[in-house]
């Protein structure tokens, strides 16, 4: 059966109550397995310092008008994008582990709405990833990153990032359910996310790359994310493809597409399996 | 419409690709009874249980739990039944108490009620001394008891236990059995799966033996045992010559089942120790030395041999 029966007894209040209980379960466990949070604590710090002080010393980046750009100001929007897409690996791993342990099956055998179980998974992961982003931003500011946006720009940034997080988290949940093993998720995740995040103009501009990586980069969803964050934070325009000339629009489009595909697939998979 | 039968399945079938895990299974579980599905690994026990618990959809056929269809009325089915899966499905990094509270809250109890219910279950299942330990640091038996308690944060109409004692040591197994008996005396209907004939015998009112997803025999444990034969005396000789000598000497007096390769022979022992004594005396009279001479209960393999005429096609992991 592939249909999700929305039971008549589900009220919004009960639904949010169930989500709250399930999210609470995840957070209660965190202090007991602090290593689970390494990907959103230590990893962003290491990445930021590594790229800033290893590559930053040799790279001289200019904006499309030819003006030099401080590497902090170039790199940080890229790292925000990278942290966000790495989140999908963390989400996928956590989801695969939950499914393997039988805990999710037990929840599924309860009269708890199945969408509540998935929503809790997504909400819990989004909250964890927010922590990672706060750390990236914090370490960036300490190292001299100076975003130039006002209140409006800040709100726009928050909106874009949250939308991106939702998309990457739902994708991660789906991947975790499909592969059902955290090793497989890590393998697939890294071999896909790693190159795509490097091709996305995260660390060096796309325009200077050779033809093949450049074309991939110009249509890489992560590039839309990075370019839109960069535009909002520093006012740096981007160009090269329709997508990079309209990064916010492209970013919203990619996210809506990912969410529109992943949510029904995840629910379908979850309700039958 | 629900009162007399807690579970009814008709032609229940589940395929995974080309593999048929459960094949046209018809079951009827009387309300208030203990029903055991007995079978070796891979016989389709867990798939059956998962279909009843709405975790896996049937490919064809139908199943109803407490009068509710598992496909069209899944929500009502989930309200009526509690499942304790084969692998204790508890959160490793929560304490036993926290797991129970979480289950009670997810079943819709208020915070206060959940705490009261948890305290009562901790008392009842003798969890007190490890209630505040993390699940990952308690023993297998303690974990299984906590898991069982987690299924009872409500009074279910049907309690489903998937191999409740597999992998437990004998003492923990006894503890789980006594917990199950206690629940039964409270009037809960129990459906359990097991690989152990002895477990079905100890707990169940009705047993169905399944293999390759099909029911091969069913009845009360008494009826099944009557077909299988009660206990047997097994003799294992130290070499083939001794085996041959023994078979020649005993074949006129006893009904023998022999296995020359293993140098073993087996004799039905309806009178138990009296038969054991008779066999021992006869063996002693031949002067042949034996490695082993013992009275034992019938195993799942004996059951298959007696009821289907062929051994189970799956290696039984262990016999009780």
């Amino acid at each position: 059966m592939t249909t999700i029966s929305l039971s008549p007894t589900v009220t919004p209040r009960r639904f949010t109550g169930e989500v709250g209980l399930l999210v609470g379960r995840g957070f209660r466990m965190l202090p007991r397995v602090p290593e689970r949070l390494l990907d959103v604590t230590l990893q962003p710090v290491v990445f930021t310092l590594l790229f800033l002080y290893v590559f930053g010393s040799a790279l001289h980046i200019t904006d499309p008008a030819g003006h030099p750009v401080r590497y902090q100001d170039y790199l940080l929007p890229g790292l925000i994008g990278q942290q966000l897409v790495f989140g999908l690996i963390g989400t996928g791993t956590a989801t695969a582990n939950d499914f393997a342990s039988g805990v999710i099956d037990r929840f599924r055998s309860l009269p708890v709405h199945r969408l509540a179980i998935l929503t809790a998974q997504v909400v819990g992961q989004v909250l964890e990833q927010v922590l990672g982003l706060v750390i990236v931003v914090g370490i960036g500011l300490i190292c001299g990153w100076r975003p130039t946006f006002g209140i409006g720009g800040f709100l726009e940034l928050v909106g874009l990032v949250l939308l991106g997080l939702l998309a990457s988290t739902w994708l991660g949940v789906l991947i975790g359910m499909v592969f059902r093993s955290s090793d497989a998720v890590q393998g697939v995740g890294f071999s896909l996310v790693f190159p795509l995040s490097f091709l996305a103009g995260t660390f060096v501009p796309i325009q200077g790359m050779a033809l093949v990586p450049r074309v991939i980069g110009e249509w890489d969803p992560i590039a839309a994310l990075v370019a839109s964050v960069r535009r909002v934070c520093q006012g740096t325009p981007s160009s090269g493809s329709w997508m990079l000339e309209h990064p916010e629009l492209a970013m919203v489009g990619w996210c809506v597409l990912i969410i529109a595909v992943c949510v029904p697939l995840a629910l379908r998979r979850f309700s039958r399996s | 419409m629900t009162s007399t039968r807690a579970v009814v399945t008709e032609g229940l079938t589940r395929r995974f690709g080309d593999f048929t895990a459960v094949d046209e299974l018809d079951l009827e579980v009387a309300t208030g009874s203990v029903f055991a599905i007995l079978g070796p690994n891979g016989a389709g026990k867990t798939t059956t249980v998962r279909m009843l618990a709405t975790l896996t959809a049937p490919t064809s056929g139908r199943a109803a739990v407490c009068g509710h269809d598992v496909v069209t009325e899944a929500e009502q089915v989930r309200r009526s039944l509690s499942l304790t899966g084969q692998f204790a499905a508890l959160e490793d990094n929560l304490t036993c108490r926290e797991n129970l509270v979480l289950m009670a809250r997810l079943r819709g109890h208020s915070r206060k009620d959940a705490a009261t219910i948890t305290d009562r279950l901790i008392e009842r299942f003798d969890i007190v001394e490890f209630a505040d330990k993390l699940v990952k640091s308690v023993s297998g038996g303690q974990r299984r008891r906590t898991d069982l308690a987690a299924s009872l944060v409500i009074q279910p109409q049907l309690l489903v236990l998937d191999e409740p004692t597999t992998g437990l040591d004998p003492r923990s197994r006894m503890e789980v059995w006594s917990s199950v008996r206690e629940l039964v005396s409270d009037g809960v209907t129990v459906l359990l799966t097991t690989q152990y004939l002895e477990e079905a015998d100890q707990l169940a009112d009705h047993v169905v033996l399944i293999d390759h997803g099909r029911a091969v025999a069913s009845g009360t444990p008494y009826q099944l045992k009557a077909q299988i034969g009660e206990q047997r005396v097994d003799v294992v000789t130290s070499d083939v010559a001794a085996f041959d000598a023994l078979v020649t000497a005993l074949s006129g007096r006893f009904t023998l089942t022999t296995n020359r390769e293993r140098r073993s022979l087996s004799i039905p022992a309806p009178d138990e120790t009296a038969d054991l004594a008779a066999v021992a005396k006869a063996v002693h009279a031949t002067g042949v030395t034996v490695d082993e001479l013992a009275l034992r209960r019938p195993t799942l393999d004996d059951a298959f041999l007696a009821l289907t005429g062929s051994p189970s096609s799956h290696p039984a992991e262990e016999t009780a």
Side-chain angles (χ1 to χ4, degrees), chain B residues 1-316:
Chain B
M1 64 186 195
T2 68
S3 55
T4 57
R5 295 178 304 173
V7 175
V8 182
T9 73
E10 284 165 12
L12 189 64
T13 300
R14 173 70 205 205
R15 286 188 204 91
F16 296 100
D18 288 340
F19 173 68
T20 305
V22 175
D23 195 1
E24 302 269 329
L25 194 61
D26 300 326
L27 299 176
E28 273 193 32
V29 178
T31 302
S33 71
V34 181
F35 188 97
I37 300 178
L38 175 67
N41 271 334
K45 302 189 296 291
T46 296
T47 307
T48 304
V49 160
R50 288 180 62 88
M51 286 192 278
L52 295 178
T54 76
L55 295 179
T56 301
T59 309
S60 63
R62 53 179 292 278
V65 172
C66 302
H68 302 293
D69 187 276
V70 294
V71 175
T72 57
E73 299 172 296
E75 168 88 10
Q76 287 91 326
V77 170
R78 288 178 209 140
R79 284 183 192 290
S80 321
L81 123 177
S82 261
L83 168 71
T84 298
Q86 188 168 347
F87 303 104
L90 298 168
E91 202 66 84
D92 273 345
N93 292 302
L94 293 181
T95 65
C96 297
R97 185 190 302 275
E98 287 169 337
N99 266 291
L100 293 178
V101 170
L102 175 64
M103 293 305 286
R105 297 275 281 133
L106 285 173
R107 281 282 187 183
H109 292 296
S110 70
R111 197 182 292 267
K112 191 160 157 273
D113 289 352
T116 314
I117 290 164
T118 300
D119 285 340
R120 216 180 54 222
L121 289 169
I122 285 174
E123 198 71 39
R124 174 173 179 187
F125 285 89
D126 208 7
I127 294 170
V128 180
E129 61 183 274
F130 55 88
D132 295 306
K133 280 192 187 173
L134 295 185
V135 167
K136 67 180 169 192
S137 61
V138 305
S139 76
Q142 293 172 334
R143 198 187 164 101
R144 207 64 75 103
R145 267 176 11 230
T146 309
D147 204 12
L148 198 53
S151 290
L152 294 163
V153 295
I154 51 155
Q155 177 85 1
Q157 288 173 268
L158 174 69
L159 178 64
V160 180
L161 305 173
D162 192 12
E163 304 205 8
T165 65
T166 297
L168 292 190
D169 59 68
R171 187 171 149 257
S172 305
R173 183 172 296 172
M174 300 287 206
E175 285 169 2
V176 171
W177 286 353
S178 78
S179 298
V180 172
R181 283 199 195 96
E182 207 178 303
L183 294 172
V184 173
S185 65
D186 291 352
V188 180
T189 308
V190 177
L191 177 99
L192 66 91
T193 72
T194 181
Q195 303 183 33
Y196 310 119
L197 192 60
E198 191 195 355
E199 183 159 285
D201 186 18
Q202 287 281 334
L203 296 175
D205 305 313
H206 193 96
V207 183
V208 59
L209 182 68
I210 69 170
D211 189 27
H212 286 138
R214 288 181 162 274
V216 292
S218 93
T220 63
Y222 181 82
Q223 289 167 331
L224 284 189
K225 281 195 302 182
Q227 291 181 59
I228 300 162
E230 287 276 7
Q231 310 217 37
R232 303 182 74 83
V233 177
D234 278 2
V235 186
V236 182
T237 61
S238 46
D239 56 55
V240 181
F243 172 83
D244 291 338
L246 203 56
V247 170
T248 316
L250 299 184
S251 56
R253 297 178 50 198
F254 300 99
T255 319
L256 302 181
T257 311
T258 58
N259 185 330
R260 195 163 189 271
E261 228 169 81
R262 289 192 199 158
R263 308 177 314 277
S264 72
L265 47 96
S266 174
I267 299 155
D271 293 331
E272 309 196 350
T273 47
D275 289 319
L276 177 66
V279 173
K281 204 172 161 200
V283 170
H284 181 70
T286 62
V288 163
T289 54
V290 297
D291 281 353
E292 194 183 314
L293 193 155
L295 189 65
R296 67 168 175 86
R297 293 179 176 280
T299 63
L300 187 53
D301 277 337
D302 296 328
F304 270 97
L305 206 57
L307 295 170
T308 68
S310 63
S312 102
S313 43
H314 315 272

